[in-house]
């Protein structure tokens, strides 16, 4: 029984490389392999990227979904706007995030920082208040006299 078992193991060890070396498909020598022809579905594929990131014939003509940034205001979502270039007043940090209840300096309450509420789906500000862009992303509802911030719309611009 030992000899029979040893012979079976030896035979399987010799047969394994022969099975792995067998060709995957049988084809005549003058025909190209399936992945070398013009009807290749992976033609143009970048093998350095994962398969889901490659566009090939299977995705031809399909548009990719847009992932635009969005902002929320009054319970609704809107697409963020690529705003015009924005610069902070001289002496102020352009990336500062202001908070509700803080006072916005008078330098931000000049004409160049006002935002047209109609163009961005914002409510008309009450009398004595204005919408002001006080950093590169956000818009603030500010009291014109005191500079007190009463409402914030985050990420309106990107």
């Amino acid at each position: 029984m030992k000899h029979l078992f040893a012979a079976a193991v030896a035979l399987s060890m010799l047969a394994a490389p022969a099975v792995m070396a067998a060709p995957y498909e049988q084809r005549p020598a003058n025909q190209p392999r399936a992945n070398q022809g013009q009807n290749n579905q992976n033609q143009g594929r970048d093998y350095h990227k994962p398969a889901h990131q490659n566009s090939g014939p299977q995705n031809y003509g399909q548009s990719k979904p847009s992932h635009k940034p969005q902002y929320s205001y009054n319970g609704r979502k809107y697409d963020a706007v690529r705003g015009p270039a924005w610069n902070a007043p001289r002496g102020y940090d352009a990336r500062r995030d202001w908070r509700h209840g803080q006072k916005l300096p008078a330098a931000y309450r000049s004409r160049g920082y006002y935002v047209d509420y109609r163009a961005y789906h914002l409510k008309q500000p009450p009398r004595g208040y204005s919408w002001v862009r006080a950093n590169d992303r956000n818009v603030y509802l500010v009291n014109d006299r005191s500079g007190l911030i009463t409402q914030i719309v985050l990420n309106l611009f990107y």
Side-chain angles (χ1 to χ4, degrees):
M1 186 73 174
K2 275 185 179 179
H3 296 290
L4 184 60
F5 182 70
V9 169
L11 184 62
S12 67
M13 291 178 79
L14 292 173
V19 169
M20 290 183 156
Y24 178 73
E25 59 183 273
Q26 295 293 332
R27 60 179 172 78
N30 61 355
Q31 277 188 338
R33 288 188 179 176
N35 63 356
Q36 292 176 345
Q38 290 183 352
N39 295 331
N40 182 9
Q41 288 185 351
N42 292 329
Q43 188 174 8
R45 178 176 172 188
D46 183 1
Y47 286 96
H48 298 288
K49 292 182 182 177
H52 68 277
Q53 290 181 357
N54 290 304
S55 62
Q58 66 275 9
N59 294 335
Y60 184 74
Q62 297 176 359
S63 62
K64 293 183 180 181
S66 171
H67 295 290
K68 278 184 116 176
Q70 291 189 329
Y71 69 96
S72 295
Y73 179 69
N74 272 351
R76 295 184 63 192
K77 287 193 175 204
Y78 300 96
D79 285 339
V81 178
R82 182 172 294 280
W86 185 89
N87 293 314
R90 176 166 273 175
Y92 291 95
D93 183 16
R95 290 192 174 85
R96 176 168 178 183
D97 284 327
W98 299 90
R99 300 188 187 280
H100 187 273
Q102 288 182 326
K103 288 189 177 186
L104 200 63
Y108 286 100
R109 290 180 272 142
S110 65
R111 270 258 183 260
Y113 297 98
Y114 288 149
V115 173
D116 181 13
Y117 65 91
R118 292 176 221 102
Y120 302 109
H121 309 286
L122 301 172
K123 283 187 177 178
Q124 180 178 1
R127 180 171 295 208
Y129 287 82
S130 299
W131 288 104
V132 176
R133 184 176 180 188
N135 68 19
D136 59 346
R137 297 180 319 275
N138 305 330
V139 174
Y140 303 88
L141 184 61
V142 177
N143 183 301
D144 292 333
R145 287 190 177 198
S146 68
L148 189 69
I149 297 173
T150 57
Q151 192 173 3
I152 302 171
V153 179
L154 299 174
N155 302 317
L156 183 115
F157 296 103
Y158 69 97

